[in-house]
Amino acid sequence: MRHNKKFNHLGRKKAHRASLLANMTISLIFHKRINTTVAKAKALRMYAEPIINRAKEDTMANRRLVFSYLQNKEAVKILFQDIAEKIANRPGGYTRILKTGNRLGDNAATCFIELVDYNEAMLKDSKETKAKTRRSRRKSAAPAAEAAPENPVAEAAAEEKELPAAE
């Protein structure tokens, strides 16, 4: 029975799992995007998001608590200085998982996990889609049908026949 087993143990003992997730969180903070398996990414999201949420309020207690999990001064400094500015108004959901297919060697499902506010390509796309207005097909199809000839080859041949007669 699965009573009280709410997280993926990833086939590791507690100390090994804690080290793995702490190291992956540090890499995520430094690089803003890492490539891993889907199972590890989902476990990392559960581990990292409460830590990232602590960075919203820059107090000594929060810094010490985050350092107790990560054990890396540089990662804590980046988290509280740079990342905290970008996530200040976000109520949650600081990471995004993008599935990339299966790995060749063992056919494991792989993905990217990234910090949401640091993907410039997706931020550009969201700005462009907001700028567009919605048009219905019926309105846009009617003017295009009138402007475009139904048989451009036949019309071009008809124009060529008319040109010599006009001269």
Side-chain angles (χ1 to χ4, degrees), residues 7-14 16-21 24 36-45 47:
F7 60 93
N8 192 345
H9 295 281
L10 299 173
R12 290 162 170 83
K13 304 261 185 197
K14 181 174 175 30
H16 188 186
R17 189 173 53 253
S19 283
L20 172 81
L21 294 173
M24 288 178 72
T36 185
T37 63
V38 174
K40 286 180 187 174
K42 288 179 179 180
L44 177 63
R45 180 172 53 190
Y47 184 86

Side-chain angles (χ1 to χ4, degrees), residues 2 14 34 41-43 51 55 67 106 113 117 120 122 125-126 128-129 132-133 138 141 158 165:
R2 291 194 69 250
K14 181 174 175 30
I34 57 175
K42 288 179 179 180
I51 292 173
F67 182 77
D106 58 355
I113 182 167
D117 296 322
E120 289 83 17
M122 291 194 108
D125 291 342
S126 66
E128 289 175 6
T129 56
K132 293 181 182 177
T133 59
R138 186 170 293 152

Side-chain angles (χ1 to χ4, degrees), residues 135-146:
R135 297 180 187 166
S136 67
R137 290 183 165 200
R138 186 170 293 152
K139 289 179 185 176
S140 64
E146 292 171 6

Side-chain angles (χ1 to χ4, degrees), residues 34-74:
I34 57 175
N35 189 12
T36 185
T37 63
V38 174
K40 286 180 187 174
K42 288 179 179 180
L44 177 63
R45 180 172 53 190
M46 288 177 56
Y47 184 86
E49 290 212 3
I51 292 173
I52 295 170
N53 197 26
R54 288 273 177 190
K56 284 183 172 181
E57 188 181 350
D58 190 5
T59 62
M60 186 59 70
N62 282 344
R63 281 183 178 263
R64 286 179 175 167
L65 194 96
V66 169
F67 182 77
S68 72
Y69 284 107
L70 299 182
Q71 297 292 316
N72 189 315
K73 289 181 184 178
E74 292 298 318

